[in-house]
Every structure is written in C-alpha cells, then in structure tokens.
C-alpha cells in the first residue's frame, strides 16, 4: 500500500524570493517566553503532553501489528477490503499527530536534543509501517478488477475509497509482487543515503571562505552572510568576489557532489526500470497521472518565452547603472524603502485581499489567524524560513520568521494560502482523499500572493511603493517560475544521460548547467564561468528529483485562474471563483491534472504557460512606467 503520508509530512516551504525593497528587519530575535501566546504555536490540540504522545506511539505499533494480521483476507469480499482501508485510515490519522508533535517542537528550538531524539523514533516507526504494509497492494491486485468494480458498486461504504482503489489498478503494471515490493521498501532508507550524505557535506562539513571587501571588512560567506551581502553591498567588485568564493566552496568538493548526484540519478533509473517505466520522467509523473508532455511543453514554451525575463534583467541593469550585468547583481534592490509592515498590518492586508473569494473563505481565514496556529517571530534556535504543516483532525500550523518587511508580508500570504487549502480540503473530503498533491499545492499559495499584490497596489499611488510591489511580483516569477523551469530542464537532461548509459562526471554537469543557464539568460547576463558549479548547491536535485517543475506549473495555473477570477463579466468572474474554491475543496479526490481542468486550466496547452510569460511582460511595462515617475 502506498504511504500517503510521504509528502504531507514534509512541510510546504515557501519558494525563495528576492528582496524587492532591501528593508532591514525591524525586529530582532527575542526570548520565546516573552512573545504573547497568540503569536506562538499551541501544541495541546495535537497532544496534551509527551505522555500522551508516548501512548500514541504504542497505539501506532499495535495498529501496525493488527494491520499486518489482515494479510490474506482481501479476497474474501468487500467487507474485508473496507476493514483494511478503514484500519489504514486510523493509522494515517495517528501518523499526522505522532509526526507533527515532535517535528513542530523541534522546529521552534532545534537545539533540543530530547525532541530531536523523539522525532527520530517516529521515522523508525514509520519505516516499520512501510515494511509491514508492503503486502497490501500486491494482494489487492489478486482481486480481478471486474470483481473489485462490482464490489464498489454493491458496497456503499466503499464509496470514499473508490478513487484510491482504482488507482491501485491503474498502477498495476508498475507494481511488483509481494517479494519485490518488500525488497524495495527495505531499500527505502538506503535510497536516502545520497540525500543524507549531501546534507552533511553541504552543511556540517562545508567550509565557507572569508573575503576581504573594498572597505577592509572581512566577511565569512555563510549562506546568510552571502545573500545579505548580495542584497546590501553596492560595490559590484565585492559582489563578484563574494560570489566566486561562495560558489567556490561547493566547487572545492565538486567531484564528491558529482558522485552523490550520479548516485541520485542511478537510483532514480534503477527504480524506474524495476517498476517497468521507460524513463525516469515517466516514473516520477506516474503517481499523479501527469502526462510527460506537461513537463516537455513547460520547458519548450519557457525556452521560447525568455524575452520578458531578459527584458526585466536589462531593466535592472539600466536602473542599477551597470556596464555589465551578472547573476550576483540579481539580488541588489533597485530602490530602498524605510516602510515597515508590522505583523498586524500584514494580517489585515491579507484578510482584506481575499475578499473576492467570498465570506465562506474569509471567515475560515479569520478563524485560522486568530491565534495559536501561527508561530510568528524569530527566536533563538528556531528553524529559518516559513512553511505550512497540516495535522488531520486538528488543522494547519504555520511557521514564520516575521521581520516587518515586504517579503514577510508576501510570505505570510503565501503560507496562509497553503493553510487555507488544507482547511478547505479537510472540511470537504474524507480522510482518504483529504491529501492534495504538490502539483496543485502551490496554486493556492501563489494565487493568494497575487490577490495581496492587487490589494496593496490599490491602496497606494506612490510610484516608488508601487514599483517595489511590482518588482516583488516580477522577482517571484523569475525565481518561482523561470529559475525552477531552468532547474527542471537541467534535471531532465542529466537523467537522460544516465538512461542512455552516458557518463555523468563533474565536467559534464558543469557543461550542461552552464549551457542551460545561458540559453535562458541570453546576452542579458554575463554568466561567469564559476557559476557552472551551481548545480552542486541546489538541494532539490538531491532531495526531491523532478519536483521543482511543479512550482512552475502551479505558477502558470494560478496566473490563469487569477485572470479568470478578476476579468470579464461579473457572472464569469463568479463562476471562475466557484471553480477555484471547488479545486481547493477537492483535496486528492482525482488526478491533479483533472482537478485543474475542472477549474479551467489545461497544462498541456502552451497558452497556459504563456499566461505567466505574458504576466511578467506586463509587469515590466508597469515597472518602466513607475520608474519614470520616481525622483
């Protein structure tokens, strides 16, 4: 049986964005105890204490044993199938609580080793679950599909399980027998070795260099210091030196990174072949029934639509007054702003921005932001970044490190979009289909960002403030769309090398990455030779192959959905909004491509991809107009 909790247990992380305004944080890290409770997570809705969590761990083990005892019963009739699926549901609901209780507490204080140890125990228990349930799918497939169809028609209680059951038969050609499935499940933790080794090499063992800047200061180029330098240092020579040194830290062990990445590629090809797929791309897309042409069309249309990207980069070069423009110039703000956005302001802006989605959506949004479910401020030991993490039967938890900047406002809107997707899905779907796919997840978050942009633009006529808002939107497209398509393009090319038994060496990876990047940037950017090693520091390549393209497809989808909800006749806008809300409520009750088509998006069509390309083109036009007004 497929573990439906594999991806929901990985928090949805906000996509990287470039600071549009270079605002400095207005708040410094503070003691957690000094933060009012309404701005901190309340874990009691999951478990009242660790003793209750320990009892849950024991309950999980007992449920695993009970589930294993069902082996050999599925052919006896629909009642046996129903019993197994209901038992799996109960285990799944328990998994959410067991996982999130230590995971969330670990993330607000990563220094707590006791919590870290408990979190590791969860992983070990879940691995036992995967092994103990490896028999289920092969045994279910011994029931002829015609027989199962008859059982579904005759047994009303099996109705909620129709889609997942029929999915098992759709995937039958790529399901092994019980011995094969058990073998692959046992190899699961071993398959994570390249990812784990990469994490150690790129964090624990990496030695970031120090550089001396033009003002005499010495800076150690840790990721945080490096990105801060690119955003704040106006001296291009300093940025060039820093970029070469920082990327050079990865280049220093590039052969090891290449060996690890080749291991990832070989693993993916092994799994694809073991499951009878012709390519690694087919294997990656099969679970969600996504046609290969979606990724191929995405890459082809984006390669053909790089003109707005290059136009934006040339505008940046002009406004920065640079003779040449390099990737290390991409984070430098075009204008600075002293505007501060306290959290209460961000919350009110976000609430106002989603008014077009109706009172039902708005009332749930207000309830969610009311307190206890959003961990707002940075504190010592807290995990960086932002995410939304669901707990079935409890609701979503949202992590922020809010610092009163414009970026933080949009990050809040983005992650709250994920949270509301979870709320609506859980309210309208039974547990078995409440889990939506990554393929549609970013639609909800980026759509909310677009509503926020429109709300903020509506409230100001100041050309600088409007420019910064427009730049934030443009940077989001560059980073969440174009950059992710470029990464997906690179991934597809190197996976194809392995499939053709071609070598994947350090030099090969460097050449493929550099050639790909230059095809997107064109002559708008001078792509320095050292950037050819960038592949070594992209964690998604090692952690989640064939994942990043979904950021781009979601961005294209949200662009088309937003346009439908905000243009045309009132009746057309209302109908589009209803289709969008239905998408959020549908959870995982159908294949994601089918869900998006019902909402009005067909990702196999180039026109869908073109909508986000056209959006960037329009933003650049607006930015040019606003920049002409700034004095």
């Amino acid at each position: 049986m497929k573990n439906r909790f594999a991806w929901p247990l990985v928090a949805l992380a906000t996509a990287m964005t470039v600071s549009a305004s270079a605002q400095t944080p207005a708040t410094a890290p503070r003691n957690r105890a000094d933060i009012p409770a309404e701005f901190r997570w309340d874990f009691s809705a999951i478990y009242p204490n660790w003793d209750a969590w320990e009892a849950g761990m024991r309950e999980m083990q007992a449920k695993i044993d009970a589930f294993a005892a069902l082996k050999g019963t599925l052919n006896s009739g629909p009642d046996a199938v129903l019993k197994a699926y209901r038992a799996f549901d109960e285990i799944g609901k328990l998994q959410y609580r067991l996982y999130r209780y230590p995971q969330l507490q670990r993330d607000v204080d990563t220094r707590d080793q006791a919590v870290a140890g408990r979190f590791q125990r969860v992983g070990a228990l879940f691995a036992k679950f995967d092994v103990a349930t490896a028999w289920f799918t092969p045994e279910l497939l011994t029931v002829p599909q015609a027989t199962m169809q008859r059982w579904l028609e005759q047994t009303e209680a099996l109705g909620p399980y129709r889609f997942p059951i029929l999915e098992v038969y759709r995937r039958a050609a790529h399901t092994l027998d019980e011995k094969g499935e058990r073998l692959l499940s046992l190899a699961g933790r071993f398959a994570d070795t390249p990812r784990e080794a990469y994490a150690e090499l790129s964090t624990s063992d990496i030695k970031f260099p120090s550089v001396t800047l033009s003002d005499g200061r010495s800076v150690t180029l840790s990721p945080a210091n490096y990105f801060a330098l690119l955003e704040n240092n106006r001296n291009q020579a300093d940025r060039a030196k820093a970029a070469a040194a920082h990327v050079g830290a990865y280049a220093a062990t590039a052969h090891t990174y290449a060996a690890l990445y080749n291991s990832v590629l070989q693993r993916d090809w092994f799994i694809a072949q073991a499951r009878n797929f012709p390519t690694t791309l087919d294997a990656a897309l099969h679970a969600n029934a996504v046609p290969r042409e979606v990724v191929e069309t995405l890459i082809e249309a984006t390669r053909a639509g790089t003109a707005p990207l290059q136009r934006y980069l040339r505008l940046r070069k002009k406004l920065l007054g640079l003779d040449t423009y390099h990737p290390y110039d991409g984070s430098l703000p075009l204008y600075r702003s002293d505007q501060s956005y306290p959290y209460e302001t961000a919350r009110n802006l976000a609430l106002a921005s989603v008014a077009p989605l109706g009172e039902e959506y708005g009332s749930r949004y207000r309830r969610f932001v009311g307190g206890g479910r959003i961990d707002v401020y940075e504190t010592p030991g807290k995990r960086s970044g932002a995410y939304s993490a669901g707990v079935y039967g409890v609701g979503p938890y949202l992590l922020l490190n809010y610092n009163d900047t414009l970026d933080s406002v949009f990050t809040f809107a983005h992650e709250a979009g994920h949270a509301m997707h979870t709320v609506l899905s859980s309210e309208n779907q039974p547990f078995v289909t409440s889990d939506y796919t990554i393929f549609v997840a970013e639609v909800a978050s980026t759509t909310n960002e677009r509503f926020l942009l429109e709300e903020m633009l509506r409230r100001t006529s100041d050309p600088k403030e409007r420019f910064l808002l427009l730049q934030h939107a443009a940077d989001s497209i560059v980073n969440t769309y174009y950059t992710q398509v470029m990464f997906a393009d690179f991934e597809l090319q190197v996976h194809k090398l392995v499939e053709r038994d071609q070598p994947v060496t350090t030099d090969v990876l460097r050449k493929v990455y550099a050639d790909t990047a230059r095809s997107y940037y064109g002559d708008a950017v001078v792509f320095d030779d050292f950037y050819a090693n960038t592949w070594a520091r992209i964690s998604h390549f090692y952690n989640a192959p064939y994942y990043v393209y979904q950021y781009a497809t979601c961005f294209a989808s949200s662009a088309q959905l937003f346009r439908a909800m905000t243009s045309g006749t009132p009746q057309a806008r209302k109908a589009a909004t209803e289709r969008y809300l239905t998408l959020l409520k549908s959870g995982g009750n159908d294949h994601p491509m089918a869900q998006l088509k019902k909402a009005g998006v067909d990702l196999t069509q180039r026109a869908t991809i073109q909508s986000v390309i056209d959006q960037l083109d329009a933003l650049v036009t607006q930015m040019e107009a606003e920049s002409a007004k700034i004095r």
Side-chain angles (χ1 to χ4, degrees), residues 261 264 487-488 490-491 513 535 538-545 548:
Y261 193 35
V264 171
F487 288 165
F490 168 80
E491 279 191 295
Y513 189 86
W535 56 268
I538 306 303
S539 61
H540 274 103
F541 293 163
Y542 303 82
N543 296 338
V548 295

Side-chain angles (χ1 to χ4, degrees), residues 20 82 98 114 122 131 187 211 237 274 282 296 304 324 362 368-369 380 403 439 469 490 502 521 526 610 621:
L82 178 62
L98 290 176
V122 174
V131 174
V211 295
D282 287 295
E296 294 172 343
T324 59
F368 172 69
V369 302
N403 63 2
F439 198 83
L469 289 167
F490 168 80
Q502 297 296 309
Y521 295 139
V526 176
Q610 190 65 38
T621 298

